């Protein structure tokens, strides 16, 4: 067996420390704070906020529940578009988690869709405590047109974002690797994009340790 270099050993230890920090960060009890139906009802600016965005059926609520270890924290539903407001969650650890309304739900009334989209745009453009947006993409389908529209908005508002692939357990390893590579190539030249793609599964826990570590690092 080849020896591990000092640099590689240091990297492994650093990553292990990051993973443990993320585990402890999300081991705290998380609670629902409030729902925000309009930009005028946003809570006062205080702690760092990170937000989850994605298509209405991408699994945002399931991901939040898996991250926090609370199965009923964020509402899940078989009906796309149920999340119609900004939902705030906190553990008192210095980072607020915000579940954003899903986009791309064509069957909702146009007036309601327009209201959701306006809330999303106003929040992204005006929330100075928003540190990062995690854009959830279904690993089975990759980036779609309305995903790219959201990335364009994030780039234009200079809001840092990172791609999180959901439902990655539904793909074979070789296919998943190709999707990760294709997604990384697609965002390579986008100015506000974090270069690392995280593949996750709310069902198996795949990638949750890495995502927890990323979020916990933003609390520093």
């Amino acid at each position: 067996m080849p020896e591990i270099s000092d640099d590689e050993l240091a990297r492994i230890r650093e990553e292990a420390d990051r993973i443990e920090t993320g585990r402890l960060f999300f081991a705290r009890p998380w609670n629902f704070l409030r729902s925000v139906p309009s930009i005028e009802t946003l809570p006062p600016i205080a702690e760092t906020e990170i937000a989850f965005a994605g298509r209405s059926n991408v699994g945002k609520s399931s991901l939040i529940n898996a991250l926090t270890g609370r199965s009923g924290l964020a509402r899940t539903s078989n009906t796309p578009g149920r999340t119609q407001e900004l939902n705030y969650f906190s553990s008192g650890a210095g980072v607020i988690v915000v579940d954003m309304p899903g986009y791309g739900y064509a069957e909702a009334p146009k007036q309601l869709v327009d209201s959701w989209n306006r809330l999303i745009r106003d929040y992204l453009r005006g929330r100075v405590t928003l540190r990062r947006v995690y854009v959830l993409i279904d690993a089975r389908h990759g980036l779609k047109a309305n995903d790219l529209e959201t990335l364009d908005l994030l780039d234009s508002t200079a809001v840092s974002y990172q791609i999180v692939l959901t439902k990655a357990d539904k793909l074979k390893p070789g296919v998943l690797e190709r999707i990760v590579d294709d997604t990384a190539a697609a965002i390579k030249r986008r100015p506000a994009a974090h270069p690392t793609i995280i593949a996750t599964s709310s069902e198996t826990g795949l990638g949750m340790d890495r995502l927890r570590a990323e979020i916990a690092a933003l609390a520093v």
Side-chain angles (χ1 to χ4, degrees):
M1 178 179 295
E3 292 187 4
I4 300 177
S5 68
D6 290 343
D7 287 347
E8 180 65 12
L9 185 59
R11 188 196 66 77
I12 292 172
R13 287 174 175 168
E14 181 180 356
E15 182 62 15
D17 288 344
R18 277 171 44 85
I19 295 298
E20 178 63 8
T21 298
R23 185 190 71 79
L24 293 173
F25 185 83
F26 277 94
R28 301 167 183 263
W30 284 79
N31 298 291
F32 170 77
L33 286 183
R34 65 193 297 174
S35 290
V36 176
S38 66
I39 204 70
E40 293 79 17
T41 57
L42 280 170
I45 290 175
E47 297 175 291
T48 294
E49 295 176 12
I50 65 101
F52 288 98
R55 290 172 59 85
S56 58
N57 58 351
V58 77
K60 286 190 289 88
S61 297
S62 295
L63 184 82
I64 292 171
N65 290 339
L67 276 174
T68 59
R70 287 197 56 188
S71 60
L73 183 62
R75 296 184 306 171
T76 59
S77 173
N78 292 326
T79 303
R82 182 170 179 181
T83 302
Q84 302 174 11
E85 302 167 326
L86 297 173
N87 290 317
Y88 274 62
F89 306 94
S90 175
S91 69
V95 171
I96 301 291
V97 168
V98 182
D99 184 11
M100 300 178 66
Y103 53 80
Y105 183 45
E107 295 182 24
K110 185 178 184 302
Q111 183 176 0
L112 183 57
V113 172
D114 290 344
S115 176
W116 297 348
N117 289 338
R118 184 166 55 253
L119 175 60
I120 291 171
R121 288 194 301 269
D122 290 346
Y123 174 69
L124 293 178
R125 286 172 176 158
R127 198 64 171 172
V128 297
T129 49
L130 179 60
R131 185 79 178 275
R132 181 173 296 169
V133 175
Y134 291 92
V135 182
L136 275 52
I137 304 296
D138 191 322
R140 300 170 299 177
H141 307 305
L143 290 164
K144 297 294 185 182
N146 45 16
D147 297 317
L148 296 174
E149 290 174 3
T150 298
L151 302 191
D152 289 343
L153 175 59
L154 291 165
D155 284 328
S156 68
T157 54
V159 176
S160 171
Y161 61 90
Q162 186 167 8
I163 302 295
V164 175
L165 300 177
T166 63
K167 307 179 184 181
D169 59 303
K170 308 300 182 184
L171 300 178
K172 294 180 179 180
V175 177
L176 178 58
E177 289 175 8
R178 178 176 58 79
I179 293 294
V180 169
D181 290 343
D182 289 349
T183 306
I187 66 168
K188 186 175 181 179
R189 298 186 182 281
R190 288 184 171 271
H194 189 289
T196 302
I197 311 297
I198 301 179
T200 68
S201 167
S202 299
E203 293 187 9
T204 68
L206 172 69
M208 291 297 168
D209 54 350
R210 293 182 61 204
L211 184 53
R212 291 188 186 106
E214 290 283 347
I215 295 171
L218 297 176
V220 178

